[in-house]
Amino acid sequence: MPTGYHIERMTAADVQTAINWAACEGWNPGVDDAACFYAADPNGFFKGVLSGETVATGSAVCYDDAYAFCGLYIVAPEHRGKGYGLALTKARLAYCGGRNVGIDGVLENVKIYERIGYEAFYENCRFEGVAKARGKVSSHVRVVTHDDFSAVRHYDRQCFPAYRDAFLKAWLGQAQARAVLYEEDGRVMGYAVRRKCLNGYKVGPLFADNADIAAQLFDALQSDIEGELIILDTPENNGDAVRLAERRGMKKVFATARMYQKGLPDIAAGQIFGITSFELG
């Protein structure tokens, strides 16, 4: 540990500060991200403190006994390259214990992440475009209600390595978000969430049985925000997801490496058309 430096857990207010840092870094966070992230695991947020000043932040959200995800990793620009971030990361991994840990790593830092035990499997690609209303919304698509939580929860688990009830309740309940599902014969076959960000809107997750359902959900989330910036983070190992973004006239602006410490989770990769967030997986 660098001299005069120590690691503390973040409070809810600290997480909001970290989100503010993320905004300064150009991450364009959601307006309610801090509260939703903190709800996922209140013990999973850490800060590096040097002489009373926070110089680094990072999360390590433990979803269950087997899976965790690290993100929200920022070191203040004037303190980079001094070992503060590495010390914080070691503390986060210690908190994760023996779980399989995932990250969305900056591409140029993949070799660094590999040295601390991560392996890269594919890229998640950010696409940006302009929202467009595309006619009548499918009759199979409707707004998610409180009564749908159990069905959405179980669908979510097909596409995510753990149940994440606390986070999901917060994510679906955001004041400036819209959540929709696709239902046929009483069976949920996909769902999606759109949240307000500092600039425009992000859609995530976008989970669906197939590309046609994903397109209907994605289009339904654009019908009332025509002309606004819309963002979708697609996994490149699902070619249909990338093609959906491209067919909607969206442009790829950057990518991250999805990496894991203990191998690729056994989830329905073909149903993931948009990840939830780069910070929490």
Side-chain angles (χ1 to χ4, degrees):
M1 189 75 68
T3 303
Y5 181 71
H6 66 280
I7 309 300
E8 298 178 6
R9 278 199 166 86
M10 284 199 264
T11 65
D14 290 331
V15 175
Q16 182 59 64
T17 298
I19 294 295
N20 296 342
W21 280 24
C24 293
E25 292 290 318
W27 295 11
N28 189 25
V31 296
D32 293 317
D33 278 4
C36 293
F37 289 1
Y38 191 72
D41 180 3
N43 293 314
F45 294 84
F46 299 82
K47 61 182 180 179
V49 180
L50 179 67
S51 301
E53 175 192 3
T54 298
V55 300
T57 68
S59 61
V61 170
C62 293
Y63 287 103
D64 63 9
D65 291 339
Y67 184 67
F69 198 90
C70 288
L72 203 58
Y73 174 63
I74 305 172
V75 179
E78 66 273 22
H79 292 289
R80 291 172 185 171
K82 301 176 182 179
Y84 301 137
L86 179 59
L88 182 73
T89 291
K90 288 180 177 178
R92 291 188 294 156
L93 289 176
Y95 173 65
C96 293
R99 296 171 176 85
N100 188 12
V101 184
I103 60 168
D104 273 309
V106 178
L107 295 181
E108 54 263 36
N109 290 340
V110 164
K111 294 296 182 184
I112 296 173
Y113 302 134
E114 288 175 341
R115 290 200 292 269
I116 56 175
Y118 288 101
E119 179 183 357
F121 288 91
Y122 57 89
E123 292 183 5
N124 284 320
C125 309
R126 171 155 294 176
F127 282 86
E128 294 184 352
V130 178
K132 182 178 180 181
R134 297 180 182 274
K136 187 177 179 181
V137 175
S138 167
S139 61
H140 294 291
V141 176
R142 63 174 177 81
V143 172
V144 173
T145 70
H146 177 77
D147 292 338
D148 296 315
F149 182 76
S150 179
V152 169
R153 171 184 185 263
H154 287 294
Y155 195 93
D156 185 78
R157 180 62 182 86
Q158 298 177 50
C159 305
F160 195 81
Y163 284 110
R164 45 179 179 171
D165 292 7
F167 169 77
L168 201 57
K169 287 175 181 178
W171 202 244
L172 294 170
Q174 295 176 78
Q176 298 189 65
R178 180 176 173 83
V180 294
L181 60 78
Y182 184 100
E183 186 178 46
E184 224 176 281
D185 297 325
R187 184 166 70 91
V188 173
M189 301 172 69
Y191 89 98
V193 179
R194 182 196 78 201
R195 76 190 194 276
K196 181 75 176 71
C197 296
L198 298 183
N199 183 21
Y201 297 82
K202 290 178 183 175
V203 173
L206 173 54
F207 297 158
D209 279 12
N210 56 54
D212 179 62
I213 292 173
Q216 292 184 59
L217 290 166
F218 189 53
D219 290 347
L221 291 177
Q222 298 181 63
S223 61
D224 60 331
I225 56 167
E226 188 165 19
E228 296 276 2
L229 172 69
I230 192 162
I231 299 164
L232 181 67
D233 299 327
T234 64
E236 57 85 24
N237 64 335
N238 182 351
D240 286 337
V242 174
R243 284 186 286 274
L244 170 61
E246 292 174 340
R247 288 169 180 166
R248 292 300 184 266
M250 305 177 81
K251 301 297 182 184
K252 180 179 173 181
V253 293
F254 73 87
T256 64
R258 176 55 66 91
M259 308 181 76
Y260 294 100
Q261 293 240 334
K262 294 187 175 182
L264 195 64
D266 182 17
I267 54 177
Q271 294 172 224
I272 304 172
F273 291 82
I275 66 168
T276 306
S277 78
F278 285 129
E279 295 80 21
L280 264 68

